[in-house]
């Protein structure tokens, strides 16, 4: 197919990394999209020239957290250059302990959890590195010196290439990158935030902060659960609150 000829690419923030302007989100892989269908979607995306795939260690949700990364891992294992052609983004923060067996340090952004979560994601994804490792939420209990020390180790080991944020306030982006600058680290290169024609609060502080610090902006829920997001089917089937019926999904 010739999708790569018409697909638009851009550099991710201030990096030299080229990514497609369309990003394939995988949040529903596992809970709502079975593995064969998920594999077919990823194949179609790659054929169309989409080289940027986004996931998170928490996707799969509940007792199945991690399932989405596993599905992507089995897709990579099919070969054909799939991993080499994909810019892979995943996230860290969620408490990954079993719901019925809570345990300390299984969530957040402590150096311990970052290390453990990265290793677990690499195993599930069946890869030796994560291209973009994103902090899924801000952790006010973890100092940035600790967070960047953990990320710098992963970068030195070749297990992570870039770091990004998700659901951060503008001041959080500034605080993170000022701390990284003091260490001589690259810092955040992207912010993934809720942003669409209906929900535009990101324009107040997040987008200006991203522009000031050279971050790429990756919108989540860009359709706000509109027609293409299945809102008519949800209305017809009487499904509960969700995209188009109050609040977008928590990414």
């Amino acid at each position: 197919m010739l999708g790569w000829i018409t697909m638009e690419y851009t550099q991710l923030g201030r990096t030299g990394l080229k990514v497609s302007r369309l990003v394939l989100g995988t949040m529903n892989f596992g809970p709502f999209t079975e593995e064969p269908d998920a594999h077919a979607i990823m194949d179609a995306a790659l054929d169309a020239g989409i080289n940027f795939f986004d996931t998170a260690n928490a996707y799969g949700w509940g007792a199945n957290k991690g399932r989405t990364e596993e599905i992507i891992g089995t897709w990579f294992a099919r070969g054909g250059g799939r991993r080499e052609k994909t810019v892979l983004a995943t996230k860290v923060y969620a408490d990954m302990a079993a719901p019925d067996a809570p345990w300390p340090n299984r969530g957040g952004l402590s150096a311990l959890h970052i290390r453990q979560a990265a290793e677990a994601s690499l195993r599930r994804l069946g890869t030796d590195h994560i291209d973009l490792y994103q902090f899924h939420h801000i952790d006010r209990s973890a100092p940035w010196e600790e967070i960047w020390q953990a990320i710098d180790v992963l970068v030195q080991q070749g297990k992570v290439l870039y770091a990004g944020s998700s659901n951060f306030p503008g001041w959080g982006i500034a605080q993170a990158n000022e701390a990284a600058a003091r260490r001589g680290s690259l810092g955040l290169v992207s912010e993934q935030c809720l942003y669409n024609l209906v929900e535009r609060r990101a324009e107040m502080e997040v987008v200006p902060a991203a522009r000031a610090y050279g971050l790429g902006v990756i919108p989540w829920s860009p359709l706000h659960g509109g027609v293409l997001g299945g809102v008519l089917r949800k209305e017809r089937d009487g499904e509960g609150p969700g995209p188009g019926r109050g609040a977008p999904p928590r990414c």
Side-chain angles (χ1 to χ4, degrees):
M1 297 180 67
L2 300 178
W4 63 271
I5 294 177
T6 56
M7 178 59 61
E8 292 186 8
Y9 298 90
T10 187
Q11 289 177 225
L12 183 63
R14 64 189 184 283
T15 75
L17 182 66
K18 292 183 179 179
V19 295
S20 52
R21 287 196 174 276
L22 293 179
V23 185
L24 178 65
T26 64
M27 186 172 67
N28 289 334
F29 288 2
F32 303 104
T33 306
E34 297 295 331
E35 184 168 330
D37 293 332
H39 285 188
I41 290 170
M42 288 186 282
D43 281 335
L46 210 60
D47 286 344
I50 297 173
N51 74 335
F52 197 6
F53 290 11
D54 175 72
T55 191
N57 61 350
Y59 292 174
W61 310 113
N64 295 313
K65 285 181 288 192
R67 177 58 184 147
T68 303
E69 287 186 331
E70 291 175 348
I71 290 173
I72 296 172
T74 58
W75 181 74
F76 285 151
R78 292 170 58 189
R82 287 175 171 82
R83 178 64 187 98
E84 293 75 14
K85 294 176 181 176
T86 301
V87 175
L88 173 64
T90 191
K91 306 184 190 75
V92 56
Y93 177 88
D95 189 334
M96 297 301 286
D100 59 348
W103 196 252
N105 299 313
R106 293 302 304 274
L109 297 179
S110 69
L112 176 61
H113 182 242
I114 288 173
R115 175 179 176 176
Q116 292 176 340
E119 295 290 352
S121 285
L122 289 169
R123 287 193 297 270
R124 287 189 292 264
L125 290 162
T127 186
D128 62 356
H129 73 283
I130 296 164
D131 299 310
L132 177 63
Y133 204 32
Q134 302 164 105
F135 308 122
H136 210 158
H137 297 280
I138 201 164
D139 184 352
R140 293 178 176 84
S141 67
W144 277 108
E145 290 74 16
E146 175 185 0
I147 295 170
W148 286 127
Q149 182 270 339
I151 294 298
D152 287 345
V153 170
L154 291 172
V155 171
Q156 291 163 8
Q157 293 174 338
K159 295 177 180 178
V160 167
L161 300 185
Y162 304 95
S165 58
S166 181
N167 303 304
F168 269 35
W171 69 265
I173 292 171
Q175 187 180 44
N177 272 20
E178 291 297 331
R182 290 193 294 270
R183 295 178 56 86
S185 300
L186 183 60
L188 302 174
V189 303
S190 63
E191 159 62 17
Q192 185 174 157
C193 57
L194 175 61
Y195 189 27
N196 52 58
L197 291 176
V198 175
E199 175 51 74
R200 300 178 63 176
R201 282 177 290 180
E203 295 175 356
M204 296 174 66
E205 295 186 4
V206 175
V207 172
R211 183 180 295 115
Y213 285 95
L215 276 64
V217 174
I218 307 168
W220 65 263
S221 194
L223 300 178
H224 198 68
V227 173
L228 295 179
V231 65
L232 297 182
R233 177 186 58 78
K234 292 182 176 68
E235 292 284 352
R236 183 190 67 233
D237 296 345
E239 296 182 12
R245 294 180 61 105
R250 183 181 177 90
C251 182

